């Protein structure tokens, strides 16, 4: 996909960095948006001399074309992503509590 007028911006939400890209698709002229979270991870390079280097990795949250405000669409994707993650963490804590209570009973 050929990208015309590519613009990239970063925003911080709850202490986490998100990358938002806007562009216009060349063939149909559709306005596209891509949202990803930027996570820093330490990676090891080399076979003999293990050098450690901090690398930025992007976790794609969502992308697509939209007729409405592209910025609002991107912020909605970030909000949904954070809500889903909070629900997963809450569910994980409930499972841990359940397992802990069952261990105490036996």
């Amino acid at each position: 996909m050929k990208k015309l007028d590519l613009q990239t911006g970063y925003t911080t939400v709850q202490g986490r960095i998100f990358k938002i890209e806007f562009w216009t698709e060349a063939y149909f002229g559709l306005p596209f948006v891509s949202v990803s979270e930027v996570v820093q991870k330490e990676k090891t390079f080399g076979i003999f001399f293990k050098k450690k280097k901090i690398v930025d990795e992007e976790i794609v949250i969502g992308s697509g074309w939209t007729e409405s405000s592209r910025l609002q669409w991107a912020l909605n994707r970030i909000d949904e992503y954070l809500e889903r993650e909070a629900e997963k963490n809450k569910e994980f804590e409930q499972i841990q509590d359940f397992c802990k209570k069952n261990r105490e009973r036996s």
Side-chain angles (χ1 to χ4, degrees):
M1 173 186 314
K2 189 174 180 182
K3 300 177 182 179
L4 301 175
D5 66 1
L6 176 67
Q7 297 176 357
T8 304
Y10 293 88
T11 184
T12 303
V13 180
Q14 297 178 358
R16 298 160 72 173
I17 301 170
F18 293 92
K19 179 180 177 182
I20 302 172
E21 291 182 314
F22 304 109
W23 72 89
T24 304
E25 190 267 332
Y27 189 71
F28 293 110
L30 298 172
F32 268 82
V33 183
S34 176
V35 182
S36 54
E37 181 179 8
V38 179
V39 180
Q40 291 186 339
K41 292 192 176 183
E42 189 175 273
K43 296 231 174 179
T44 306
F45 295 97
I47 298 171
F48 300 111
F49 303 105
K50 307 247 180 199
K51 294 183 180 179
K52 293 185 178 181
K53 185 177 182 183
I54 295 177
V55 179
D56 287 343
E57 288 188 1
E58 293 182 15
I59 302 169
V60 177
I61 296 171
S63 63
W65 68 275
T66 177
E67 296 174 359
S68 61
S69 170
R70 293 189 277 184
L71 181 59
Q72 189 61 43
W73 186 92
L75 294 175
N76 288 342
R77 296 293 92 65
I78 292 172
D79 188 42
E80 291 171 4
Y81 175 75
L82 293 174
E83 285 177 11
R84 275 195 313 264
E85 193 172 83
E87 289 173 4
K88 286 180 186 178
N89 289 341
K90 186 176 179 182
E91 184 178 335
F92 181 70
E93 289 173 5
Q94 289 174 348
I95 292 170
Q96 280 185 325
D97 290 342
F98 177 77
C99 292
K100 187 177 179 181
K101 288 177 184 175
N102 282 340
R103 273 188 252 138
E104 289 173 0
R105 288 182 187 164
S106 51

